[in-house]
Amino acid sequence: DARVTQTPRHKVTEMGQEVTMRCQPILGHNTVFWYRQTMMQGLELLAYFRNRAPLDDSGMPKDRFSAEMPDATLATLKIQPSEPRDSAVYFCASGRPNRGLDEKLFFGSGTQLSVL
Amino acid sequence: DQQVKQNSPSLSVQEGRISILNCDYTNSMFDYFLWYKKYPAEGPTFLISISSIKDKNEDGRFTVFLNKSAKHLSLHIVPSQPGDSAVYFCAASGWSSNYKLTFGKGTLLTVNP
């Protein structure tokens, strides 16, 4: 049963530390998204890639966040330095959109990040 | 600027009754709409979708209605079951946004036995 795999599931760190979250998209999916869920903003888009190329990272604080896809099986989201306001659940999602036919995304279980 | 709005943070219904979740959007370029369901400590899972060329799509107990002129869609669950209790997210995309899904803030549905 194909699924998006995210690691770690939980991360507790101190302010100022670097945090790296990893995502393995479903094999064959060419589009990968990073979303952040907070109580106030719901699911907000941070960045997304098509065929490993970044398409939009306008939702991401550029000074501390970075997203990459070193290969088709791995996407990473880094925060350096982390701050308490970064505490949230971070979701990775993948898909293979075909306009109007199948634009749904499959989500991982998320990384629960707590920055103290 | 919220382009997809779910104005009801929560909804409570009795088992067996109909649940109606609402969603409004502002971007007229959106042409594909989806509903996702999310349980605690899990990622959102796809529930049902609708293209802008339709005004209704049905899948078992779930029906999505789209009113393009009002920029409004709704999800009907009939009959509601306790296992339907979850957060429901409305999402929209369009060719102009390059398949980027924009989500609402979600509605917590509680189905009481």
Side-chain angles (χ1 to χ4, degrees):
Chain A
D1 190 21
R3 55 180 172 174
V4 176
T5 303
Q6 286 187 250
T7 56
R9 287 296 308 273
H10 304 275
K11 177 70 175 180
V12 180
T13 191
E14 293 187 346
M15 183 173 62
Q17 297 297 305
E18 178 178 301
V19 175
T20 298
M21 290 168 271
R22 294 177 173 82
C23 169
Q24 181 177 5
I26 292 174
L27 188 65
H29 283 184
N30 66 345
T31 307
V32 175
F33 292 74
W34 284 104
Y35 284 91
R36 175 169 64 182
Q37 184 186 14
T38 62
M39 291 296 291
M40 296 299 294
Q41 298 297 326
L43 278 170
E44 54 176 335
L45 178 67
L46 298 175
Y48 75 114
F49 298 79
R50 168 97 18 87
N51 298 321
R52 295 176 54 201
L55 286 187
D56 186 346
D57 61 1
S58 59
M60 213 163 58
K62 301 292 191 305
D63 57 338
R64 299 184 300 109
F65 285 59
S66 62
E68 296 179 346
M69 273 202 80
D71 62 60
T73 65
L74 177 65
T76 62
L77 180 66
K78 291 186 181 181
I79 309 174
Q80 169 61 25
S82 57
E83 297 181 0
R85 60 179 167 154
D86 301 329
S87 298
V89 182
Y90 292 79
F91 289 104
C92 174
S94 72
R96 192 170 181 85
N98 184 356
R99 180 169 179 250
L101 298 178
D102 188 3
E103 297 184 30
K104 62 179 177 282
L105 299 179
F106 295 82
F107 281 77
S109 298
T111 294
Q112 172 78 60
L113 174 64
S114 297
V115 183
L116 307 178
Chain B
D1 179 29
Q2 280 272 312
Q3 297 188 63
V4 178
K5 300 178 183 179
Q6 294 178 255
N7 292 319
S8 298
S10 63
L11 175 67
S12 182
V13 299
Q14 286 298 120
E15 180 179 5
R17 300 287 188 120
I18 184 172
S19 295
I20 300 176
L21 295 99
N22 294 301
C23 178
D24 297 294
Y25 61 96
T26 58
N27 189 339
S28 59
M29 301 301 289
F30 287 145
D31 61 6
Y32 198 78
F33 305 90
L34 308 90
W35 285 93
Y36 278 79
K37 179 169 70 174
K38 185 185 179 307
Y39 293 118
E42 295 182 11
T45 55
F46 170 77
L47 192 57
I48 192 169
S49 63
I50 187 167
S51 165
S52 61
I53 62 174
K54 295 183 177 181
D55 54 18
K56 176 183 175 181
N57 188 27
E58 193 171 350
D59 184 1
R61 297 185 297 112
F62 302 91
T63 303
V64 55
F65 295 92
L66 176 62
N67 183 332
K68 289 186 290 296
S69 61
K71 295 191 179 66
H72 177 84
L73 64 154
S74 60
L75 174 68
H76 292 210
I77 306 174
V78 182
S80 301
Q81 300 173 353
D84 296 329
S85 297
V87 176
Y88 288 78
F89 289 98
C90 170
S93 74
W95 68 270
S96 63
S97 67
N98 216 353
Y99 303 121
K100 179 174 68 175
L101 283 189
T102 301
F103 285 84
K105 292 187 179 182
T107 296
L108 173 62
L109 173 66
T110 303
V111 181
N112 301 303

